Amino acid sequence: MKNKIDSLVKEAEIFVAKSLNDLECFRIQFLGKKGSISSLFQDFKNVPVDHRKEIGQKINALKSLIEETIYQEKLKLSGTYTSEDGKDLSLPGDDLSLGSRHPISLVRNDIIEIFNRQGFIISEGPEIENDEHVFSKLNFSPEHPARDMQDTFFIERQSADNSHPGDILLRTHTSSVQVRVMENQKPPIRTISPGRVFRNEAISARAHCIFHQIEGLYIDSNVSFADLKQTLLYFSKAMFGEETKIRLRPSFFPFTEPSAEMDVSCKICNGKGCNVCKYTGWLEVLGCGMVDPNVLENCNIDSSAYTGFAFGMGVERIAMLKYQVNDLRMYFENDVRFLEQFSYSL
Ligand code: PHE
């Protein structure tokens, strides 16, 4: 009997549980109703009296060893979950990358949010447009250079049988969306139109054939240039920082009169002059102006009762200023090493 106990002790000492199931089998084998310990106690009845003390102690020691082994193995298993086939399930899983928003989306969302706060709602329109909405109704003269093949991607030129009104083309600006809004809604109108636009330009660090715009339009009675200026000042401070200053330079667009280009003070050098602002202290940000009365009339809005302002900006341009990225192409190449630098935010 001594030998039997000793071999059970050895067996218990080398036992390693591969799984909880394994451990349970071990427990039943030793401590179960028909297990080794209970059969040892059965045999104990036949042990001669003078050996009882020694054998009894041995059986009790074995029982404690078994209980301790079960306890220890359970502890190990709860730290390292092991599958049936012995794999460690507690090892960390494969890295699941969450990704990040594209910088153009981040900046577009910022711009939209700032104008939403000022009561502008979003309107959208088609990317494939006709001449009427991109040029004619916006007061572009028939000879205007923007209508040229050099600038515009044409899909279909005006057909000889007049089966469609004018050329079909990719919109060169989202002002086309504003024409559609004016055609379909009565003032007051206060809307922004974000979207992709297309221009037939050679791709370089400073130009691309696809980019994103956000254009704004506000039409009501008594809308003035001062309203435009205040709206743009609010935007600039919210976008570039509270200390930002703006300046408006006279410019020309066929659809606004007067027209202006807006600069913001360079926040890199605080207006002192640096290589980002080319030592002028100012950065060009957007075009704007008072909606030309011809445009209002073209869209059946009474220009004697209503006035309005409009503005338009390139999202890539704002992103370049915000993130100090000098090459526009970075935004289109989708190199993960570039995109990863923009933190995830919802
Ligand atoms: N549509 C002009 C552009 O694409 C921007 C602009 C919009 C200018 C509204 C003035 C007013 O460049």
Side-chain angles (χ1 to χ4, degrees), residues 209-330:
C209 56
I210 305 177
F211 59 100
H212 299 78
Q213 273 194 331
I214 295 187
E215 299 218 349
L217 176 72
Y218 179 28
I219 300 174
D220 203 346
S221 46
N222 295 321
V223 174
S224 72
F225 202 90
D227 297 322
L228 169 62
K229 204 174 158 188
Q230 187 55 40
T231 304
L232 296 180
L233 180 64
Y234 179 87
F235 161 72
S236 302
K237 283 175 182 263
M239 191 73 209
F240 298 108
E242 207 28 56
E243 61 300 328
T244 307
K245 296 188 184 67
I246 62 168
R247 81 174 177 187
L248 294 161
R249 284 178 289 107
S251 185
F252 175 81
F253 299 101
F255 35 89
T256 47
E257 182 58 36
S259 304
E261 247 152 285
M262 186 189 83
D263 300 339
V264 294
S265 52
C266 177
K267 67 169 179 179
I268 307 294
C269 62
N270 285 325
K272 287 190 199 74
C274 66
N275 61 355
V276 175
C277 60
K278 299 201 189 76
Y279 300 95
T280 62
W282 296 94
L283 299 163
E284 190 184 317
V285 167
L286 55 78
C288 59
M290 301 305 293
V291 181
D292 193 302
N294 288 343
V295 173
L296 296 177
E297 294 297 334
N298 289 342
C299 301
N300 299 323
I301 292 175
D302 182 355
S303 64
S304 62
Y306 295 106
T307 52
F309 67 67
F311 57 86
M313 68 188 92
V315 180
E316 280 79 1
R317 170 101 191 122
I318 308 285
M320 283 171 100
L321 296 177
K322 180 166 173 174
Y323 297 123
Q324 294 301 308
V325 174
N326 298 323
D327 193 330
L328 190 56
R329 289 168 293 196
M330 298 275 228

Side-chain angles (χ1 to χ4, degrees), residues 89-303:
L89 301 180
S90 70
L91 287 174
D94 287 341
D95 194 13
L96 234 191
S97 161
L98 253 192
S100 55
R101 280 218 198 284
H102 194 283
I104 296 301
S105 299
L106 291 173
V107 171
R108 185 198 53 199
N109 292 350
D110 280 354
I111 300 171
I112 290 175
E113 201 263 324
I114 294 168
F115 284 106
N116 278 169
R117 270 190 259 154
Q118 299 189 83
F120 287 80
I121 57 160
I122 295 176
S123 43
E124 286 180 329
E127 292 179 347
I128 299 176
E129 265 290 6
N130 52 31
D131 178 278
E132 193 187 355
H133 289 97
V134 176
F135 297 128
S136 303
K137 287 201 167 178
L138 285 163
N139 209 30
F140 281 80
S141 60
E143 309 77 33
H144 195 282
R147 293 174 180 247
D148 203 278
M149 282 290 264
Q150 305 292 316
D151 287 289
T152 307
F153 287 113
F154 290 97
I155 291 175
E156 244 178 279
R157 301 311 295 254
Q158 177 158 33
S159 53
D161 63 356
N162 273 337
S163 59
H164 57 80
D167 301 319
I168 306 294
L169 42 89
L170 295 180
R171 66 183 180 194
T172 57
H173 52 183
T174 57
S175 304
S176 53
V177 179
Q178 310 189 334
V179 173
R180 289 182 180 273
V181 171
M182 286 188 279
E183 283 173 340
N184 294 309
Q185 289 174 34
K186 295 257 159 296
I189 292 170
R190 205 191 300 214
T191 187
I192 48 171
S193 37
R196 280 197 301 185
V197 298
F198 308 85
R199 290 185 196 176
N200 195 355
E201 302 212 36
I203 295 170
S204 71
R206 317 212 81 225
H208 210 286
C209 56
I210 305 177
F211 59 100
H212 299 78
Q213 273 194 331
I214 295 187
E215 299 218 349
L217 176 72
Y218 179 28
I219 300 174
D220 203 346
S221 46
N222 295 321
V223 174
S224 72
F225 202 90
D227 297 322
L228 169 62
K229 204 174 158 188
Q230 187 55 40
T231 304
L232 296 180
L233 180 64
Y234 179 87
F235 161 72
S236 302
K237 283 175 182 263
M239 191 73 209
F240 298 108
E242 207 28 56
E243 61 300 328
T244 307
K245 296 188 184 67
I246 62 168
R247 81 174 177 187
L248 294 161
R249 284 178 289 107
S251 185
F252 175 81
F253 299 101
F255 35 89
T256 47
E257 182 58 36
S259 304
E261 247 152 285
M262 186 189 83
D263 300 339
V264 294
S265 52
C266 177
K267 67 169 179 179
I268 307 294
C269 62
N270 285 325
K272 287 190 199 74
C274 66
N275 61 355
V276 175
C277 60
K278 299 201 189 76
Y279 300 95
T280 62
W282 296 94
L283 299 163
E284 190 184 317
V285 167
L286 55 78
C288 59
M290 301 305 293
V291 181
D292 193 302
N294 288 343
V295 173
L296 296 177
E297 294 297 334
N298 289 342
C299 301
N300 299 323
I301 292 175
D302 182 355
S303 64

